[in-house]
Amino acid sequence: MRYPAAEKLEIIRLVEQSSLSVRRTLGQLGIPRSTFYCWYDRYRARDDEGLEDRTPAPRRVWNKIPAEVTQAVLELALKEPELSPRELAVSFVDQRQYFVSEASVYRLLKAHDLITSPAFILMKAADSFAQPTTAPNQLWQTDFTYLRVIGWGWFYLYARLIIGSYWV
């Protein structure tokens, strides 16, 4: 429940003039001690105007990227436009020793209209393979991943999976 400033001042005066302890007086009034002491501290610091309701001030966001870091990421993106948001994030971390996630870089680039649409290659699925298998183990799947090992460089990691075998 919110109390107007006049009621807060009246409660402070009542507690100051009471013959009971502060704890018992506040207990009878049904007001938490922490609330009372907050009011009392503001009253002692700024008199009556300290008891007026204040509009809540916006708080600082704990994980907001600082303006200078945002500017540095944008400068790097303009200097190296061929890099993807992931590559920009990795490059920024390597160069500046300040971590910025790929998602944050993507959001920054999108907010400043620096995201280019990817070049899509449209392909239609076929009803059958262009070159059907004629012997065992001819249909394979291979997956490549390009990754960076710090202190070593960039490497390809690939996995090969034999999908089927041929039955006569």
Side-chain angles (χ1 to χ4, degrees):
M1 177 176 164
R2 290 198 175 271
Y3 293 94
E7 283 188 45
K8 292 177 189 175
L9 183 59
E10 188 178 330
I11 292 169
I12 289 172
R13 299 267 188 250
L14 185 66
V15 170
E16 285 178 337
Q17 296 168 359
S18 175
S19 61
L20 300 173
S21 67
V22 173
R23 181 180 198 163
R24 287 189 65 194
T25 305
L26 292 174
Q28 289 179 351
L29 293 172
I31 296 174
R33 283 188 299 160
S34 60
T35 301
F36 171 76
Y37 282 115
C38 182
W39 293 345
Y40 195 63
D41 289 342
R42 289 194 342 233
Y43 173 71
R44 287 189 356 195
R46 290 182 300 232
D47 290 327
D48 291 343
E49 59 183 55
L51 297 176
E52 294 291 333
D53 280 339
R54 299 172 292 158
T55 58
R59 299 197 174 163
R60 184 176 175 269
V61 179
W62 67 270
N63 63 345
K64 183 173 175 136
I65 298 174
E68 58 273 4
V69 174
T70 299
Q71 191 61 37
V73 168
L74 293 173
E75 287 173 7
L76 180 62
L78 292 172
K79 190 168 72 173
E80 300 187 32
E82 69 281 354
L83 295 180
S84 70
R86 174 179 287 164
E87 292 169 329
L88 274 172
V90 169
S91 178
F92 188 81
V93 171
D94 287 346
Q95 291 175 13
R96 304 289 177 102
Q97 303 297 312
Y98 187 96
F99 179 76
V100 179
S101 72
E102 174 190 349
S104 295
V105 171
Y106 181 84
R107 281 191 299 272
L108 284 174
L109 296 179
K110 187 168 182 161
H112 291 85
D113 291 329
L114 295 175
I115 293 289
T116 58
S117 60
F120 290 109
I121 300 172
L122 296 176
M123 299 173 69
K124 289 181 80 175
D127 291 333
S128 63
F129 291 108
Q131 299 169 338
T133 59
T134 58
N137 301 327
Q138 283 187 338
L139 184 61
W140 291 14
Q141 176 182 340
T142 306
D143 181 31
F144 283 88
T145 303
Y146 194 49
L147 60 105
R148 180 158 192 246
V149 178
I150 297 176
W152 289 70
W154 291 91
F155 292 92
Y156 284 106
L157 172 69
Y158 76 96
R160 187 170 57 199
L161 174 65
I162 301 169
I163 298 212
S165 60
Y166 180 79
W167 294 89
V168 179

